[in-house]
Amino acid sequence: MKSTCYLIVLSLVLLISCKPGPDPIQYGFDGCHYCSMTIVDKQHASEFVTQKGKVYKFDASECMINFTKDFDSSVIALYLVNDYNNPGVLVDATRATYLISENIPSPMGAYLTAFNSKEEANIARDINQGILLSWDELGQRLRN
């Protein structure tokens, strides 16, 4: 009976430890999986994590989206982007609001910036002009 309990507990620990999660970006050391540039910008970096826990890191949101064009998206567990107002903080990319504004340069020249909330994105648009997009709208725009 004890061995069965140990086996169940061990299985639960292994199951929990295998849950895919974000991996902190090592700015100045990690390279972009799409363009191979070193990731240094804490306001525009991004990453995605597969169901098996493999992490792909990018220096810009547009690199991540362009990389996924040739990737089986059904195996992706998490899409994460840096929140512009909290440099170095990764947030759920599918819930972020995106601003394309030529007044906010991004590493790869798409002028694409992610915000954790629509309210913050609206404030940034009022200051910098540009257009706001959801995750789905951004994907349609960049994948075409």
Side-chain angles (χ1 to χ4, degrees):
M1 182 68 178
K2 280 186 174 182
S3 63
T4 303
C5 288
Y6 289 129
L7 185 59
I8 291 171
V9 170
L10 179 63
S11 296
L12 287 173
V13 169
L14 289 174
L15 183 64
I16 290 170
S17 65
C18 292
K19 184 179 176 185
D23 184 39
I25 295 172
Q26 303 299 315
Y27 298 96
F29 295 101
D30 286 336
C32 177
H33 275 86
Y34 182 71
C35 70
S36 301
M37 291 180 62
T38 301
I39 303 170
V40 295
D41 186 335
K42 293 182 177 183
Q43 291 179 300
H44 293 94
S46 61
E47 71 180 36
F48 72 79
V49 184
T50 67
Q51 299 286 350
K52 291 184 176 180
K54 183 167 174 66
V55 178
Y56 293 85
K57 299 176 181 180
F58 304 93
D59 63 345
S61 301
E62 59 266 33
C63 283
M64 177 173 67
I65 292 169
N66 286 326
F67 186 82
T68 60
K69 286 179 181 175
D70 299 323
F71 202 88
D72 180 5
S73 61
S74 68
V75 301
I76 298 174
L78 299 168
Y79 292 94
L80 302 161
V81 291
N82 277 142
D83 176 17
Y84 183 76
N85 287 334
N86 295 294
V89 175
L90 292 168
V91 298
D92 183 345
T94 64
R95 295 178 180 235
T97 301
Y98 298 87
L99 173 64
I100 297 177
S101 171
E102 292 187 9
N103 294 319
I104 304 176
S106 61
M108 298 309 294
Y111 302 100
L112 176 61
T113 303
F115 294 87
N116 192 31
S117 76
K118 190 167 186 172
E119 293 76 25
E120 292 173 346
N122 275 322
I123 292 169
R125 181 185 60 188
D126 290 345
I127 296 168
N128 297 289
Q129 302 174 342
I131 60 168
L132 295 179
L133 300 168
S134 68
W135 171 252
D136 291 335
E137 293 168 332
L138 180 64
Q140 290 171 2
R141 184 180 180 114
L142 293 181
R143 289 187 177 108
N144 292 328

